[in-house]
Amino acid sequence: MRKIHLTICTVIAITSFINAQKINAPNGRIAVVADGNSPDPDDLGGTAVSLALLRASGLENRLVHYSHSCDLVRVNRISEKAEVERHALMQSACDVTARRWGGFDKLTFLDAKWQLDATIKDLAKAINASTENNPLWIIEAGEPDIIGFALEASKKQKHKFVKVVTHHPANDDAGDFYTWQQILDFGVEEVRIPDQNIKLKVNLPEWDWAKNHKDPRIQQVWIQGKIAEVDDVVKFQKGKWDCSDAGMILYWITGANIHGGLKQGTVEDVKAILLDYISGNN
């Protein structure tokens, strides 16, 4: 029995060591521009997982901007009332996750559409603070328009220190005011990574570990993805738990294109990082 116990402890220790080694973020700060008010509700789960990952990896202080609802022109596939509901759900995903996990007290989560000027100014301020040794990594988790407006409002000489991380052309090509090429024409660096839907949009039971976990922080993350799954505007989330945009956070916190980080994160990667943090922060 003693040998078995030591073996289990050794495995746990090795697992914790491996997980710890995964966190190897590059220099700089991070900004996230998400949608969620558009017909696709996956940003609810993506936001909760993204914030939890940043906190769990000890990088929450490097998050200098987070805006949501960046789809500035409503499409007919979602009604006005349903979109208002999405704005509220996205704000809740931001504020509740941030409060429960802690570490984000200095950050204001902005509604890009309803607080357009404030959002543009906030992201432009982060761009203007960028240097060679302190670049800004912008996570494109929605349409590119807010990024374009912020680049337009910021100092041109700072754009070479901005890196825009993208994983899917559905975001790149969805802008109402800026094309993806126009974003690149500002002189920013494109960081294109593989489609994160492949391994992070999964069947609902793959997240049962979170649903059934005793810690309410983990349960709350699961609830956000479940809200997206039961959405009554779209059908393509049915039976799925989707945090695909959080794959860009996994890519960044594990080294981005500097240290050979995770190119395509999995649910197991998310689980390992979050549970490792929970085990040490009960």
Side-chain angles (χ1 to χ4, degrees), residues 216-271:
R217 289 168 292 185
I218 296 292
Q219 292 177 4
Q220 184 268 335
V221 168
W222 176 82
I223 286 171
Q224 298 304 319
K226 179 62 178 177
I227 292 173
E229 192 268 336
V230 299
D231 181 83
D232 66 351
V233 175
V234 301
K235 304 298 183 185
F236 50 78
Q237 293 294 131
K238 299 305 179 189
K240 300 294 183 180
W241 208 104
D242 186 356
C243 65
S244 50
D245 282 337
M248 292 182 282
I249 300 294
L250 274 173
Y251 187 79
W252 185 76
I253 68 175
T254 59
N257 59 349
I258 304 298
H259 302 137
L262 288 170
K263 291 184 178 180
Q264 279 188 313
T266 67
V267 176
E268 286 302 313
D269 293 317
V270 173
K271 179 181 178 181

Side-chain angles (χ1 to χ4, degrees), residues 5-43:
H5 177 71
L6 288 175
T7 301
I8 292 173
C9 290
T10 301
V11 170
I12 293 173
I14 291 173
T15 301
S16 296
F17 175 76
I18 292 173
N19 289 342
Q21 295 307 299
K22 288 181 179 178
I23 308 304
N24 191 20
N27 290 338
R29 298 146 300 125
I30 188 169
V32 178
V33 179
D35 49 21
N37 62 316
S38 67
D40 192 348
D42 71 300
D43 290 74

Side-chain angles (χ1 to χ4, degrees), residues 64-96:
V64 295
H65 172 91
Y66 203 113
S67 56
H68 65 84
S69 302
C70 71
D71 190 349
L72 301 180
V73 178
R74 181 177 60 84
V75 296
N76 292 332
R77 287 180 295 164
I78 185 169
S79 69
E80 186 175 353
K81 286 186 176 180
E83 185 182 321
V84 169
E85 177 184 292
R86 289 281 188 80
H87 281 261
L89 288 171
M90 281 300 298
Q91 192 67 45
S92 176
C94 292
D95 292 339
V96 175

Side-chain angles (χ1 to χ4, degrees), residues 23 51-60 101 273-274 276-277:
I23 308 304
L51 294 176
L53 284 172
L54 287 168
R55 176 60 164 164
S57 59
L59 297 167
E60 67 276 7
W101 285 78
I273 294 170
L274 297 191
D276 186 58
Y277 173 80

